[in-house]
């Protein structure tokens, strides 16, 4: 073995795994299979490259896959990428701007060529990053949400749901992004509380008898008002219901209606109703048979219905309108008000609720089934506190707006007859109207929401709509590892569509990983441009160092800040594992004969390490089966660092260095056996270095070996060795306090009734803390007494303490204490200081004086 593991070897190791087909399921190799384990990779967007958050997510998936593979299961991990329609289109438009082009100038066909080129560039980059990380997925099954098999799945599901009446087209109020110029689903809108104003506007009565004061946070939508609403139980307005008011600046009469939607204590209790630009107003308008009036263009500017404000942005319109209303004496008052504003999740523009003709999916019945999956335990979300997000979204679900006014994406398979207006939905291209026979047909321009194809991912990646062996062997999949922020975007929709189309939940477990944040605590994301490329970290420290640091100490679903400092600290563990391997290699090279041993012929320390190994394996297997990767990693860390490296390797050195060849061979064989089990425990977590180390001690691939298993129960020896270890630590501590050089031989004093335990420890104590002899009679000379788990022990003072050096040290300490006491005494005896100084300072000095006085007494006692 080299001095250190060279991370550059990781690429070579990965290639050998791939070349030998080690990432493929057993069923592909004709091996008889039992229990299966499968994971579908949450497909990263092709909007750039992966960041550390993706590295965490994929490391967790890889750990689970490698662990279950070593447990003998038929494992499949399907990789892939997502076309991310809106996000990718935004990126391509930005690139076009730099060339002085727009997508309209380019045209749809040329734009789509650019999009596919973008996929080739960044999709390839993402795969390279995943391979560098060590992801053991089957690359021959790599999928893309826009490739041909996935397109077939999308077409079939769309057609089925349309035929069942679950997909429909209609005019409804939707979230519109004026920047991206597309509809958004409710899940794609981020709501942020912002400071704003509540404007109290006077709407004159049509009969000229005064005015009705209306409170609103959006005066710029006033041109689309269809009525003013009050609560039917609000006595203030009982005689106003049915009257007509004049809409300011528009000079149009609108009615006053009663509706229980209105909150009596909001503003004046009278609100303007604008059905085209508010979802709640839309429902009020429907109840009163009032048609919506849209007053904005697609880019968020005011349209011709806004009169003189036509062409102004929403913000400029609001400003000018308020000025005009003030001049007309139609503003009663303005008060500060906190407003929850919806923002586009991609470009962060304030969205505009607008009436628009879109395609929708009826979610009602599917949502009930998705809720039942969690209630029945068929689907488990870990940690279970995240279930609340899942439930709340499904309980309050609305029909899903699935159409997007974009070019990059799955084009909706709806065809319209230009002659008779007939709508046809088909999996194949339609050229003839099935109603009137016309050939004047055009396809829907809109594409599907990205999340539509993503919702089919668990079964489309396994071959649907064909009946494949992969679907038979691996569906439903076992576990999904994903982030909390896409529980409703993706997880709930996968559950709904999988239960609808396949009749089964898509996976048994959903494991939520934490969110990786930057140094300032902000979430790392491609859109925020604050992500760290995992390749940069891997090039500096190696993939294993990155993987290990991401997993150690970062609990399930807990957010954490990424730090290179932590990687450097955690890498010490990997170095320790490597150095333990080098020590074993050295021991083997100095040992003659076959390294065989009988588990019935073990000394007390061997039994101890096997009992500790058994406990570690049992705990790790339990944690891994519970999907608690963090706890598993921590448990392995503590066993390897504390019990194996710091204790057992030291405890066994007297035996591996023994002049008795048989004893040495026996000790080295056990050391190797325990170390190989450690490599097996660690392989799913740090696969590269463990594979490399393993190749020095055995043939074949570590990745193909069975996971570490329990070797027997040796609990009866655990207590004794723990006692010995505590004794070694205490003697080392005394040596350190009194600066006793390691070469100095010491005598240990013990009680006669502790002789059985001490006798078993004598060889180790002589080698590890240089105990030359043990006496069981209390000596006449003074001793330094201490208590360990073995019992009451002691060391001869004459051997431990160099009296002259100790006197010199204590004398210097006393001089320093006396000097500080004198300085404090002068200050505390000064009446001027005592009257002017702050009380807290005086109290602090008095406490320090008392502490030093006690220290002086203790030093004088030691000198005596």
């Amino acid at each position: 073995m080299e001095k250190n593991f060279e991370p550059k070897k990781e690429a070579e190791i990965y290639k050998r795994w791939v070349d030998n087909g080690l990432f493929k399921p057993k069923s592909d190799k004709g091996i008889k299979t039992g229990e299966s384990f499968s994971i579908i990779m949450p497909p990263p967007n092709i909007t750039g490259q992966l960041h550390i958050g993706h590295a965490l997510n994929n490391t967790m998936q890889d750990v689970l896959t490698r662990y279950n593979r070593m447990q003998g299961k038929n494992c499949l991990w399907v990789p892939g990428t997502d076309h991310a329609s809106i996000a990718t289109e935004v990126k391509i438009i930005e690139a076009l701007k730099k060339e002085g082009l727009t997508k309209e100038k380019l045209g749809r066909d040329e734009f789509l060529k650019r999009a596919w080129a973008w996929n080739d560039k960044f999709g390839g980059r993402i795969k390279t990053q995943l391979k560098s990380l060590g992801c053991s997925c089957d690359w021959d099954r790599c999928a893309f949400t826009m490739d041909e098999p996935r397109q077939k799945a999308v077409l079939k599901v769309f057609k089925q749901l349309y035929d069942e009446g679950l997909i429909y087209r209609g005019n409804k109020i939707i979230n519109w992004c004026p920047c991206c110029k597309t509809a958004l689903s409710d899940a794609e809108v981020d709501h942020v509380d912002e400071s704003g104003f509540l404007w109290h506007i006077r709407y004159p009565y049509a009969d000229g008898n005064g005015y009705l004061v209306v409170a609103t946070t959006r005066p710029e939508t006033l041109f689309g008002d269809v009525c003013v609403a009050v609560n039917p139980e609000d006595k203030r307005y009982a005689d106003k219901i049915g009257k007509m008011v004049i809409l300011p600046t528009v000079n149009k009469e609108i009615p006053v209606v009663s509706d229980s939607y209105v909150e009596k204590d909001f503003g004046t209790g009278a609100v303007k109703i604008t059905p085209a630009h508010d979802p709640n107003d839309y429902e009020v308008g429907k109840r009163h048979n009032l048609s919506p009036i849209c007053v904005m263009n697609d880019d968020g500017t005011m349209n011709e219905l806004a009169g003189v404000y036509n062409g102004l942005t929403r913000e400029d319109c609001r400003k000018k309108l308020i000025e005009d209303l003030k001049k007309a004496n139609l503003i009663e008052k303005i008060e500060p008000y906190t407003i929850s504003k919806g923002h586009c999740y991609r470009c962060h523009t304030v969205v505009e609720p607008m009436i628009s003709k879109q395609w929708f999916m009826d979610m009602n019945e599917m949502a009930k089934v998705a809720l039942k999956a969690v209630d029945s335990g068929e689907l488990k979300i870990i940690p279970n506190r995240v279930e609340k997000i899942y439930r709340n979204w499904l309980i309050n679900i609305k029909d899903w707006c699935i159409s997007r006014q974009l070019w990059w994406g799955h084009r909706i398979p709806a065809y319209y007859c230009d002659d008779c207006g007939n709508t046809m939905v088909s999996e194949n291209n339609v050229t003839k109207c099935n109603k009137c026979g016309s050939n004047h047909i055009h396809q829907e321009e809109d594409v599907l929401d990205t999340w539509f194809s993503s919702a089919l991912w668990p079964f489309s990646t396994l071959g649907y709509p064909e009946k494949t062996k992969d679907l038979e062997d691996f569906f439903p999949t076992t576990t999904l590892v994903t982030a909390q922020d896409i529980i409703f975007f993706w997880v709930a929709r996968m559950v709904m569509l999988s239960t609808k189309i396949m009749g089964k939940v898509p996976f048994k477990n959903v494991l939520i990983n934490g969110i990786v944040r930057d140094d300032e605590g902000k979430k790392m994301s491609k859109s925020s441009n604050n992500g760290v490329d995992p390749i940069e970290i891997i090039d500096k420290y190696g993939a294993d160092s990155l993987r290990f640091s991401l997993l150690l100490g970062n609990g399930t679903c807990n957010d954490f800040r990424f730090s290179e400092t932590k990687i450097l600290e955690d890498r010490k563990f990997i170095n320790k594992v490597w150095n333990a391997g080098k020590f074993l290699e050295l021991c083997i090279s100095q040992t003659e004969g076959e390294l065989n041993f009988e588990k019935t012929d073990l000394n007390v320390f061997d039994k101890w390490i096997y009992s500790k190994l058994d406990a570690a394996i049992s705990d790790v297997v339990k944690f891994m089966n519970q999907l608690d990767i963090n706890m598993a990693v921590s448990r392995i860390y503590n066993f390897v660092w504390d019990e194996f490296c710091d204790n057992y390797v030291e405890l066994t050195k007297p035996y591996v260095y023994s002049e008795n060849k048989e004893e040495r061979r026996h000790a080295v064989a056990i050391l190797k056996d325990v170390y190989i089990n450690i490599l097996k425990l660690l392989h799913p977590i740090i696969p590269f270095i463990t594979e490399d180390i393993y190749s020095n001690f055995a043939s074949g691939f570590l990745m193909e070996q069975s996971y570490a298993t329990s070797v027997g129960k040796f609990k009866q020896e655990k207590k004794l060795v723990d006692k010995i270890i505590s004794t070694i630590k205490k003697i080392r501590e005394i040596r350190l306090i009194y600066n006793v050089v390691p070469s100095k031989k010491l005598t240990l004093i013990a009680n006669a009734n502790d002789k059985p335990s001490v006798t078993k420890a004598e060889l180790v104590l002589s080698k590890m803390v240089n105990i030359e002899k043990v006496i069981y009679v209390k000596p006449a000379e003074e001793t330094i007494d201490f208590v360990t788990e073995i019992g009451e022990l002691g060391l001869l003072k004459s051997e431990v303490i160099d009296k002259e050096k100790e006197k010199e040290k204590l004398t210097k300490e006393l001089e320093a204490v006396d000097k500080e006491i004198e300085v404090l005494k002068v200050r505390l005896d000064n009446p001027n200081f005592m009257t002017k100084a702050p009380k807290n300072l005086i109290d602090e000095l008095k406490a320090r004086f008392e502490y030093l006085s006690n220290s002086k007494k203790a030093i004088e006692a030691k000198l005596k």
Side-chain angles (χ1 to χ4, degrees):
M1 291 174 66
E2 297 163 359
K3 184 179 179 182
N4 296 301
F5 175 69
E6 184 53 63
K8 289 179 182 176
K9 293 171 75 175
E10 291 176 346
E12 175 197 328
I13 293 168
Y14 192 88
K15 185 176 184 301
R16 282 195 285 124
W17 287 333
V18 174
D19 290 348
N20 284 274
L22 301 190
F23 300 162
K24 292 199 159 296
K26 288 180 181 180
S27 49
D28 278 17
K29 305 169 190 175
I31 301 171
K32 189 176 179 181
T33 60
E35 189 180 351
S36 68
F37 176 86
S38 54
I39 279 187
I40 50 155
M41 179 184 291
N45 295 346
I46 57 159
T47 46
Q49 55 193 24
L50 304 186
H51 56 68
I52 297 298
H54 296 100
L56 169 66
N57 176 270
N58 284 284
T59 295
M60 290 172 70
Q61 293 177 75
D62 192 48
V63 169
L64 292 174
T65 304
R66 287 178 182 272
Y67 166 77
N68 281 282
R69 194 182 280 124
M70 293 180 79
Q71 289 288 14
K73 294 178 184 176
N74 186 32
C75 290
L76 173 64
W77 181 15
V78 181
T81 52
D82 194 303
H83 67 283
S85 110
I86 186 170
T88 304
E89 187 148 325
V90 166
K91 292 280 186 181
I92 297 169
I93 289 169
E94 286 173 358
L96 288 174
K97 276 182 185 175
K98 293 175 183 176
E99 300 177 39
L101 291 171
T102 64
K103 74 173 193 176
E104 289 77 17
K105 272 186 185 178
L106 202 61
R108 187 166 194 152
D109 290 342
E110 287 301 314
F111 182 85
L112 291 176
K113 284 181 185 177
R114 294 275 188 126
W116 280 105
W118 183 282
N119 171 59
D120 292 341
K121 178 181 179 181
F122 289 102
R125 171 66 173 169
I126 287 166
K127 289 173 194 174
T128 299
Q129 289 177 304
L130 292 168
K131 289 175 181 179
S132 297
L133 191 63
C135 295
S136 61
C137 36
D138 186 353
W139 292 106
D140 290 339
R141 285 175 165 88
C142 191
F144 177 51
T145 51
M146 283 274 286
D147 62 22
E148 190 177 341
R150 263 45 67 183
Q151 286 189 27
K152 284 182 180 178
V154 166
L155 291 170
K156 186 169 183 66
V157 171
F158 189 96
K159 177 76 163 64
Q160 179 182 330
L161 297 179
Y162 177 79
D163 290 345
E164 292 180 24
L166 294 173
I167 285 180
Y168 61 93
R169 191 177 186 224
N171 279 302
K172 296 180 78 170
I173 193 157
I174 50 92
N175 303 294
W176 183 264
C177 176
C179 178
C180 300
K181 293 184 183 176
T182 182
L184 302 171
S185 70
D186 289 342
E188 294 169 306
V189 177
D190 296 329
H191 288 274
V192 180
D193 286 343
E194 296 180 7
S195 297
F197 295 95
L198 190 61
W199 284 274
H200 294 247
I201 303 172
R202 296 167 176 166
Y203 283 46
Y205 287 112
D207 60 10
N209 189 20
Y211 46 78
L212 180 61
V213 179
V214 172
T216 181
T217 58
R218 299 207 62 199
E220 67 276 12
T221 63
L222 170 151
F223 314 101
D225 289 0
V226 296
C227 67
V228 172
V230 296
N231 191 292
E233 296 179 3
D234 194 336
K235 294 177 181 177
R236 293 174 296 175
Y237 302 111
D239 61 341
K240 309 299 181 188
I241 297 167
K243 293 190 76 171
M244 304 296 285
V245 292
I246 296 173
L247 189 56
T249 74
V250 180
N251 296 320
K252 180 179 76 174
E253 291 188 10
I254 58 174
V256 178
V257 302
S258 67
D259 197 287
S260 56
Y261 154 70
V262 181
E263 297 175 13
K264 289 189 286 185
D265 56 355
F266 173 78
T268 62
V271 296
K272 59 194 277 306
I273 300 299
T274 319
H277 295 283
D278 184 279
N280 295 311
D281 289 8
Y282 177 74
E283 296 301 325
V284 175
K286 279 205 301 184
R287 286 194 289 272
H288 295 274
N289 296 312
L290 296 167
S291 299
I293 301 167
C294 184
V295 298
M296 290 188 199
N297 300 309
D298 287 352
D299 62 358
T301 59
M302 309 307 294
N303 66 22
E304 67 281 358
L305 294 177
V308 295
Y309 308 97
N310 182 15
L312 294 180
T313 65
R314 293 171 291 179
E315 297 75 19
D316 288 344
C317 173
R318 181 188 308 145
K319 187 177 178 182
K320 188 172 189 314
L321 175 62
I322 293 301
E323 288 174 1
D324 291 345
L325 290 173
K326 284 180 180 176
K327 289 174 185 175
N329 197 29
L330 292 176
I331 294 291
E332 178 88 3
K333 68 173 180 175
I334 302 170
E335 57 183 326
Y337 193 78
T338 301
I339 307 164
S340 178
K341 286 187 180 179
H343 296 255
C344 173
Y345 81 120
R346 281 297 171 191
C347 69
H348 311 298
T349 301
V350 175
V351 299
E352 184 60 47
M354 287 176 72
I355 291 288
S356 181
K357 196 167 193 177
Q358 301 286 341
W359 287 87
F360 297 89
M361 187 188 295
D362 186 335
M363 310 299 285
N364 190 42
E365 291 304 315
M366 284 191 279
K368 289 176 184 175
V369 176
L371 277 169
K372 188 179 177 183
V374 169
D375 292 338
S376 65
E378 190 180 5
L379 175 66
K380 188 177 180 184
I381 300 176
I382 303 166
N384 61 11
R385 68 176 184 270
V386 180
E387 277 185 17
K388 186 177 179 182
I389 298 170
Y390 177 89
R391 288 177 188 279
N392 285 348
W393 190 72
L394 288 171
I395 289 167
N396 299 296
I397 202 162
K398 295 176 183 176
D399 284 1
W400 176 13
C401 177
I402 57 173
S403 49
R404 297 290 180 271
Q405 288 63 55
L406 304 166
W407 286 352
W408 174 239
H410 290 277
R411 196 165 174 180
I412 291 173
Y415 299 83
Y416 307 110
C417 176
D418 297 334
D419 292 331
C420 74
N422 182 34
T423 298
M424 297 157 282
V425 168
S426 173
E427 295 175 54
N428 303 305
N429 191 36
V430 175
T431 57
K432 186 177 182 179
C433 179
N434 60 9
K435 188 175 180 183
C436 72
S438 170
N439 293 322
H440 299 142
I441 306 296
H442 74 274
Q443 187 180 352
E444 170 66 71
E445 293 288 327
D446 292 354
V447 300
L448 287 166
D449 180 3
T450 295
W451 298 102
F452 187 97
S453 53
S454 299
L456 315 183
W457 193 245
F459 50 94
S460 70
T461 51
L462 297 176
Y464 176 90
E466 309 300 327
K467 290 181 179 178
T468 63
K469 194 170 187 308
D470 277 358
L471 277 171
E472 185 183 329
D473 289 347
F474 299 111
F475 188 85
T477 61
T478 312
T479 300
L480 172 76
V481 183
T482 189
Q484 180 174 317
D485 55 353
I486 55 173
I487 282 286
F488 41 81
F489 274 129
W490 191 41
V491 178
R493 287 168 175 166
M494 281 192 286
V495 176
M496 285 188 281
L497 283 167
S498 181
T499 50
K500 175 63 185 172
I501 303 300
M502 305 297 291
K504 299 175 183 177
V505 292
F507 24 71
K508 297 159 193 170
N509 307 296
V510 177
L511 177 62
I512 305 297
N513 62 259
I515 293 174
V516 184
R517 302 190 178 277
D518 63 16
D519 287 339
E520 296 177 2
K522 294 176 184 174
K523 177 188 170 184
M524 281 190 179
S525 67
K526 291 186 289 292
S527 57
S528 298
N529 203 30
N530 64 344
V532 175
D533 184 353
I535 298 291
E536 292 178 15
I537 303 300
I538 290 168
D539 286 345
K540 285 172 79 172
Y541 308 109
D544 283 339
S545 294
L546 174 59
R547 289 167 65 113
F548 188 71
S549 190
L550 288 172
L551 296 174
L552 183 66
N554 298 322
T556 304
C557 201
N558 291 341
D559 295 358
F560 62 94
R561 296 188 183 193
F562 173 73
S563 162
E564 285 194 47
T565 303
K566 185 176 185 296
I567 290 178
L568 286 167
E569 188 63 30
D570 294 340
R571 194 168 62 156
K572 292 175 183 176
F573 173 81
I574 295 176
N575 291 337
K576 204 170 185 74
V577 172
W578 181 263
N579 290 334
K582 288 189 67 180
F583 173 70
L584 173 60
E585 185 182 51
L586 177 65
C587 291
I588 292 172
S589 70
Q590 296 173 349
T591 304
E592 297 176 11
E594 290 292 320
L595 296 179
N596 297 321
F597 71 98
E598 293 294 329
K599 289 195 175 76
T600 54
D601 184 25
L602 303 175
N603 68 34
V604 63
F605 303 113
D606 300 334
K607 290 178 181 179
W608 175 81
I609 193 61
Y610 276 124
S611 74
K612 293 289 188 181
L613 177 62
D614 271 359
I617 292 170
S618 176
D619 288 344
V620 170
V621 168
K622 179 185 73 175
F623 291 136
M624 288 299 291
N625 290 341
Q626 292 172 347
L627 306 182
D628 198 338
I629 298 172
N630 169 252
M631 287 299 293
V633 172
S634 296
R635 184 67 179 88
I636 297 170
Y637 177 95
N638 291 332
F639 168 71
V640 174
W641 190 291
D642 297 334
E643 295 166 345
F644 180 73
C645 291
D646 282 2
N647 290 320
Y648 181 70
V649 170
E650 297 301 318
L651 291 168
T652 199
K653 278 180 180 178
Y655 302 97
V656 299
Y657 292 144
S658 172
E659 293 181 5
N660 181 319
K661 290 183 180 179
E662 184 57 37
E663 187 176 62
R664 172 184 284 199
R665 189 160 52 245
H666 182 87
V668 174
I670 292 170
L671 185 67
K672 179 183 175 183
D673 183 62
V674 175
Y675 187 69
I676 293 297
N677 273 287
I678 286 171
L679 294 180
K680 290 178 178 180
L681 282 172
L682 281 168
H683 178 73
I685 301 155
I686 46 174
F688 291 109
I689 191 170
T690 50
E691 188 72 81
D692 189 61
I693 294 172
Y694 183 80
S695 67
N696 290 278
F697 301 113
S699 59
F701 288 99
L702 174 60
M703 185 178 162
E704 289 191 298
Q705 304 305 307
S706 295
Y707 199 64
T709 53
S710 177
V711 291
K713 304 292 182 183
F714 303 103
K715 287 183 179 176
Q716 69 274 21
E717 303 298 340
K718 182 178 173 183
K719 223 170 198 180
L720 173 61
V721 179
D722 287 342
K723 289 177 180 179
I724 294 169
I725 290 170
S726 74
T727 302
I728 290 168
K729 286 180 178 177
K730 192 65 186 176
I731 294 171
R732 282 178 171 168
E733 185 184 315
I734 291 169
R735 278 181 170 275
L736 188 64
I737 290 170
Y738 292 100
N739 297 315
V740 182
V741 293
S743 59
K744 173 82 173 180
K745 295 184 182 297
L746 302 176
T747 302
L748 181 69
I749 300 96
N751 291 327
N753 56 353
D754 294 323
K755 190 170 184 177
S757 296
V758 177
T759 301
K760 289 182 179 180
E762 276 194 64
L763 176 61
V764 173
L765 291 174
S766 68
K767 298 291 184 184
M768 295 184 71
V769 284
N770 215 349
I771 296 297
E772 184 179 28
K773 62 181 177 178
V774 182
I775 57 176
Y776 295 94
V777 180
K778 185 76 174 174
E781 63 176 289
E782 286 187 79
T783 58
I784 296 172
D785 298 325
F786 56 95
V787 178
T788 72
E789 290 180 38
I790 281 183
E792 294 179 4
L793 303 170
L795 296 171
L796 295 175
K797 260 190 182 179
S798 59
E799 292 179 352
V800 173
I801 299 174
D802 182 327
K803 283 190 177 181
E804 293 308 313
K805 280 187 178 179
E806 190 66 15
K807 270 185 188 178
E808 185 181 341
K809 186 183 88 169
L810 290 170
T811 301
K812 285 181 179 178
E813 286 179 12
L814 187 61
E815 287 173 0
V817 168
D818 279 337
K819 190 175 180 181
E820 190 174 349
I821 284 174
E822 188 58 36
V823 171
L824 284 174
K825 201 167 181 304
V826 170
R827 295 184 79 185
L828 293 172
D829 286 345
N830 184 339
N832 192 39
F833 172 78
M834 295 298 284
T835 54
K836 291 182 179 180
K839 185 178 182 301
N840 63 332
L841 176 59
I842 293 170
D843 291 343
E844 192 181 307
L845 294 177
K846 284 181 176 178
R848 179 67 180 164
F849 184 84
E850 185 179 354
Y851 168 76
L852 291 170
S853 299
N854 291 332
S855 296
K856 180 178 179 179
K857 289 175 186 176
I859 295 168
E860 287 173 339
K862 284 182 181 180
L863 277 167
K864 186 178 179 183

